């Protein structure tokens, strides 16, 4: 059986990480493949009932932090520091790889990790490639503006790159002239909703689910243009519709915790009796997807909250500015009006006007998603055939 490693699951404190890992396991796990994912916080994964196999990943504990500081002072090169981080943080995975008779495949996940500054994904890929381990960049989104010389160099070392939307795939082919680029939907699309108790307010009114995040949307303070847009939107829904609002935190990591901004907005509107805060910290990705599926509309900052809405055919509005939000919506055949670039807002009414567009075209959007979603989800399973083909070539040639 071929082992497939996922070292960057991180943990389910980010429900998007959970969705990617679960979807990947659904796509690849079989009599031919065994998927091994690694978590840095087993406690969080077990708390929300992660039911498939997870392995412990060494974290940055106190000893590692102290050792890193010492190593950094003693090391004469950045490369030496990076190698030390990889060998310690990913020690358990690397030890497991050493025990393998057949060379494993390592899937580097995370979706948008190449959209940010230099990170461990570059160091880890270079380290594994130096060890002649087959690596696959799995379900990625990358904008041309995100490219650096270091990123370009490591992108060229992947045996396969699976893009999750066509904008990224086209850019990598044209700009970097790579011929190992394949396009398949984000693996989280195939995760099934898990039925659970729905809050009582769903029985009383239609619900608009809204996911907000300071990490994604920057400063959502009431003095910012985007913050003012949020207030105008909430005031419009409360004053001019008979629907209620449910705030849906989707990531709970320190420094990225969606609950902070969601709680702030909830407290601001609590007295209206029309705004609710979902206790999603107690729910896994599939359960959150089920509750989102019960909403009439959805507005989301986190990509994988939007993927839940799309997969459930809920008319949805993305709060995003990067290639991932625009690319996924384009591939689904959705109009540009359903992706709001919050970084370039000029008016305080842009979000409410986009929501009005969503309401006015509700049936058209819902019908579009209902038509294409079954086939779109099925396309995600095509990634397995690409892995099969490349493995076959590797066995014949001694490498991909």
């Amino acid at each position: 059986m071929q082992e497939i490693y996922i070292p960057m699951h991180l943990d389910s404190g980010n429900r998007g990480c959970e969705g990617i890992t679960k979807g990947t396991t659904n796509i690849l796990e079989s009599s031919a493949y065994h998927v091994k994912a690694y978590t840095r916080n087993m406690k969080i994964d077990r708390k929300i009932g992660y039911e498939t196999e997870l392995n412990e990943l060494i974290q940055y504990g106190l000893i590692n932090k102290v050792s890193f500081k010492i190593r950094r002072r003693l090391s004469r090169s950045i490369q030496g520091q990076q190698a030390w981080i990889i060998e310690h943080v990913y020690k358990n995975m690397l030890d497991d790889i050493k025990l393998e008779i057949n060379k494993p495949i390592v899937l580097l996940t995370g979706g948008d990790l190449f959209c940010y500054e230099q990170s461990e994904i570059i160091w880890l890929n270079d380290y594994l490639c130096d060890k002649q381990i087959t690596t696959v960049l799995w379900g990625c989104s990358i904008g041309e503006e995100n490219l650096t010389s270091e990123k370009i160099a490591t992108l060229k070392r992947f045996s396969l790159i699976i893009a999750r939307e066509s904008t990224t795939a086209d850019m990598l082919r044209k700009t970097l002239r790579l011929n190992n680029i394949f396009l398949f939907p984000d693996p989280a699309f195939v995760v099934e909703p898990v039925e659970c108790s729905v809050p009582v307010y769903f029985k009383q009114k239609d619900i608009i689910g809204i996911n907000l995040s300071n990490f994604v949307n920057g400063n959502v303070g009431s003095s910012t243009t985007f913050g003012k847009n949020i207030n105008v939107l909430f005031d419009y829904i409360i004053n001019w519709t008979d629907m209620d609002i449910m705030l849906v935190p989707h990531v709970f990591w320190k420094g990225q915790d969606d609950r902070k901004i969601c709680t702030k907005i909830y407290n601001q509107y609590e007295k209206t009796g029309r705004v609710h805060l979902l206790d999603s910290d107690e729910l896994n990705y599939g359960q959150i997807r089920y509750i989102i599926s019960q909403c009439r509309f959805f507005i989301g900052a986190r990509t994988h909250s939007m993927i839940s809405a799309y997969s459930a055919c809920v008319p949805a509005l993305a709060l995003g500015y990067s290639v991932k939000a625009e690319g996924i919506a384009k591939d689904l055949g959705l109009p540009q009006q359903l992706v709001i670039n919050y970084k370039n807002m000029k008016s305080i009414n842009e979000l409410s006007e986009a929501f009005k567009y969503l309401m006015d075209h509700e049936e058209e959007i819902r019908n579009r998603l209902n038509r294409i979603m079954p086939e779109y989800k099925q396309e995600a399973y095509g990634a397995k055939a690409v892995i099969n083909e490349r493995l076959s070539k590797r066995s014949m040639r001694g490498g991909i």
Side-chain angles (χ1 to χ4, degrees):
M1 180 179 290
Q2 175 68 56
E3 296 286 352
I4 296 181
Y5 287 78
I6 303 179
M8 304 191 81
H9 162 68
L10 300 181
D11 64 64
S12 296
N14 183 327
R15 296 299 192 267
C17 292
E18 178 192 351
I20 290 171
T21 303
K22 285 184 173 179
T24 300
T25 301
N26 290 347
I27 292 168
L28 296 178
E29 186 76 28
S30 65
S31 58
Y33 300 124
H34 177 231
V35 178
K36 295 182 71 171
Y38 291 79
T39 178
R40 65 184 179 185
N41 196 327
M42 190 75 76
K43 184 178 179 181
I44 289 178
D45 289 290
R46 295 307 180 209
K47 174 185 175 183
I48 49 90
Y50 196 105
E51 67 278 2
T52 54
E53 178 184 346
L54 285 172
N55 303 272
E56 197 77 49
L57 185 70
I58 294 180
Q59 332 177 36
Y60 288 116
L62 178 60
I63 295 177
N64 271 342
K65 287 181 179 179
V66 172
S67 298
F68 174 67
K69 289 182 179 179
I70 295 173
R71 176 79 181 198
R72 183 170 57 187
R73 290 188 177 185
L74 296 177
S75 178
R76 296 181 179 179
S77 68
I78 296 296
Q79 290 77 14
Q81 296 173 25
Q82 294 171 354
W84 183 88
I85 290 173
I86 297 304
E87 290 172 2
H88 283 73
V89 175
Y90 296 93
K91 181 179 185 302
N92 286 352
M93 184 197 73
L94 296 174
D95 287 346
D96 289 345
I97 286 177
K98 291 175 184 177
L99 298 176
E100 294 294 338
I101 298 175
N102 299 319
K103 286 186 178 180
I105 297 175
V106 177
L107 304 187
L108 295 182
T109 58
D112 58 0
L113 288 180
F114 273 89
C115 293
Y116 305 113
E117 296 179 359
Q118 318 293 58
S119 68
E120 288 176 18
I121 194 169
I122 298 174
W123 311 341
L124 182 57
N125 184 54
D126 288 343
Y127 182 92
L128 293 170
C129 289
D130 288 344
K131 301 292 183 182
Q132 297 185 320
I133 302 297
T134 297
T135 61
V136 176
L137 183 57
W138 184 257
C140 68
S141 288
I142 310 169
E144 186 170 356
E145 69 278 6
N146 303 132
L147 294 176
T148 64
S149 58
E150 291 83 2
K151 291 177 183 179
I152 291 171
T154 203
L155 284 168
K156 292 180 177 180
R157 302 190 73 180
F158 283 101
S159 295
L160 287 173
I161 297 178
I162 308 294
R164 62 178 169 181
E165 29 73 24
S166 59
T167 304
T168 290
D170 292 343
M171 184 278 291
L172 292 174
R173 289 168 182 150
K174 294 176 182 177
T175 302
L176 301 187
R177 301 185 183 279
L178 299 176
N179 59 8
N180 62 339
I181 310 299
F182 293 83
L183 172 64
F184 297 101
D186 189 294
F189 271 100
V190 309
V191 176
E192 292 295 329
V194 177
E195 189 169 350
C196 60
S197 297
V198 175
V200 66
Y201 43 82
F202 274 87
K203 298 179 181 178
Q204 301 162 354
K205 291 189 177 183
D206 286 335
I207 301 297
I208 304 165
I210 299 181
N211 162 254
L212 297 174
S213 170
N214 271 107
F215 181 77
V216 175
N217 300 122
N219 183 5
V220 195
S222 57
S223 62
T224 66
T225 302
F226 182 69
K228 291 176 181 177
N229 266 270
I230 293 294
N231 289 334
V232 171
L233 172 67
F234 275 58
D235 291 342
Y236 173 80
I237 293 170
I238 291 168
N239 295 325
W240 297 99
T241 81
D242 60 358
M243 293 179 282
D244 278 10
I245 298 168
M246 175 185 64
L247 289 156
V248 185
H250 208 259
V251 174
F252 309 93
W253 286 343
K254 183 178 180 180
Q256 299 189 30
D257 196 334
D258 294 352
R259 289 171 297 187
K260 290 187 176 181
I261 183 60
C262 288
T263 300
K264 180 180 178 181
I265 299 295
Y266 169 73
N267 290 338
Q268 183 179 343
Y269 287 94
E270 181 182 8
K271 290 182 179 179
T272 67
R274 300 275 302 281
V275 177
H276 315 278
L277 179 61
L278 181 67
D279 186 13
S280 48
D281 182 37
E282 301 297 323
L283 304 172
N284 62 37
Y285 184 64
Q287 290 170 323
I288 295 175
R289 173 163 294 185
Y290 177 75
I291 291 177
I292 290 175
S293 75
Q294 305 302 302
C295 295
R296 181 172 173 182
F297 299 104
F298 190 78
I299 301 172
R302 296 286 185 178
T303 300
H304 284 89
S305 72
M306 285 298 298
I307 286 175
S308 284
Y310 291 146
S311 69
C313 302
V314 175
L317 176 64
L319 304 178
Y321 68 95
S322 66
V323 63
K324 56 184 178 180
E326 297 171 354
I328 293 173
K330 179 172 72 74
D331 289 351
L332 292 174
L334 298 174
Q336 292 181 346
Q337 292 91 329
L338 297 183
V339 180
I340 294 295
N341 186 337
Y342 66 86
K343 286 197 170 184
N344 291 330
M345 284 184 160
K346 302 294 190 296
S347 162
I348 65 173
N349 299 308
E350 290 183 44
L351 187 51
S352 57
E353 291 300 318
F355 179 67
K356 291 175 188 177
Y357 178 92
L358 185 69
M359 289 195 298
D360 290 343
H361 297 82
E362 174 182 2
E363 290 308 312
E364 176 186 341
I365 295 165
R366 194 186 309 278
N367 290 339
R368 168 69 185 172
L369 290 171
N370 277 317
R371 283 198 307 272
I372 70 167
M373 196 50 61
E375 181 178 351
Y376 186 79
K377 290 180 181 179
Q378 194 60 38
E379 287 176 5
Y381 289 92
K384 185 175 182 178
V386 173
I387 296 289
N388 288 341
E389 177 187 358
R390 290 303 172 111
L391 271 179
S392 175
K393 291 181 179 179
R394 184 177 73 168
S395 64
M396 290 187 292
R397 300 177 183 175
I400 288 185

